[in-house]
Every structure is written in structure tokens, then in C-alpha cells.
């Protein structure tokens, strides 16, 4: 019995010593170190931390205003496209009308000239 107990104690001690090298424990130690660094940075220079928070707030507000400006620009571009399409249709209509007028004056004159030359 004593030998079994000793073997169990040895295995337990080996597991405890190997758990120090366990990746989970090392991750916890890394996280603890990072938290300590963050706490130290906040306690050493709280003004810098507050300024960083203000900068983050300013950045998020700028992103929101940038998005709203993009939406406004998009609607303005759409309205300009519609206006240009209207102007193009008017100009096309005017050009067709002018071409028709020119033909209406030119064709009778050409026919008259052809009859005179015969």
C-alpha cells in the first residue's frame, strides 16, 4: 500500500511540475503579465490613457460623419446623373428637330434645282 501511495504521489508531483510548462498555464501567465502592464500604464499616466480614449471617440465620430458624407455625395451624384440624362434627352430632341428643319428646307430646294437643270 505504501508503495502504491508513493507511486501516486510521484505521479501527482510530476503532473504538477509538468503543468507549469503547460500551454494553458503559460497563456494565463502571459495574460496576467499583460494585465499588469496595462494597469501599470493606466496608473502611471492616466492623462495619456484618457487622451487615447478621447482619440478613439473622435475617430468613431469621424467615421460616422464620413459615412454620412458618403451617403450625401451618393445621393447628389444620383441627382446629377438624372439631370444629365434629362439634358441629354432635350439636346438629342433639339438636334433631331434642327436636322429635320434643315432637311425640310434643303430637300425642296434640291428638287427645284434638279427640275430647273433638266
Amino acid at each position: 500500500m505504501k508503495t502504491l501511495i508513493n507511486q501516486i504521489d510521484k505521479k501527482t508531483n510530476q503532473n504538477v511540475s509538468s503543468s507549469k510548462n503547460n500551454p494553458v498555464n503559460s497563456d494565463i501567465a502571459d495574460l496576467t503579465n499583460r494585465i499588469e502592464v496595462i494597469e501599470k500604464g493606466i496608473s502611471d499616466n492616466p492623462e495619456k490613457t484618457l487622451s487615447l480614449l478621447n482619440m478613439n471617440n473622435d475617430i468613431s465620430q469621424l467615421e460616422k460623419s464620413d459615412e454620412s458624407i458618403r451617403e450625401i455625395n451618393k445621393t447628389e451624384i444620383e441627382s446629377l446623373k438624372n439631370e444629365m440624362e434629362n439634358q441629354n434627352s432635350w439636346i438629342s430632341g433639339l438636334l433631331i428637330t434642327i436636322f429635320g428643319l434643315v432637311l425640310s428646307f434643303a430637300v425642296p430646294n434640291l428638287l427645284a434645282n434638279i427640275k430647273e437643270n433638266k
Side-chain angles (χ1 to χ4, degrees), residues 37-89:
V37 168
I38 291 170
E39 287 175 346
K40 185 177 180 193
I42 290 172
S43 65
D44 287 349
N45 196 356
E47 294 166 353
K48 183 177 180 182
T49 304
L50 289 175
S51 68
L52 288 175
L53 291 174
N54 287 337
M55 285 175 54
N56 285 338
N57 288 336
D58 291 342
I59 288 171
S60 66
Q61 289 175 354
L62 287 172
E63 286 174 345
K64 289 177 185 175
S65 67
D66 182 49
E67 185 63 33
S68 66
I69 288 172
R70 284 183 188 195
E71 289 296 322
I72 291 170
N73 285 341
K74 188 176 181 181
T75 56
E76 286 178 356
I77 288 172
E78 287 297 320
S79 72
L80 286 174
K81 280 183 182 178
N82 291 335
E83 192 174 324
M84 285 177 58
E85 287 173 0
N86 285 339
Q87 287 179 358
N88 284 341
S89 63

Side-chain angles (χ1 to χ4, degrees), residues 5-35:
I5 292 173
N6 287 337
Q7 287 177 352
I8 291 173
D9 283 341
K10 285 180 184 178
K11 286 184 180 182
T12 308
N13 288 337
Q14 287 175 351
N15 286 342
V16 168
S17 65
S18 68
S19 69
K20 291 178 183 175
N21 296 329
N22 191 353
V24 173
N25 287 341
S26 65
D27 288 343
I28 292 172
D30 288 341
L31 289 175
T32 304
N33 289 339
R34 292 173 101 183
I35 290 171

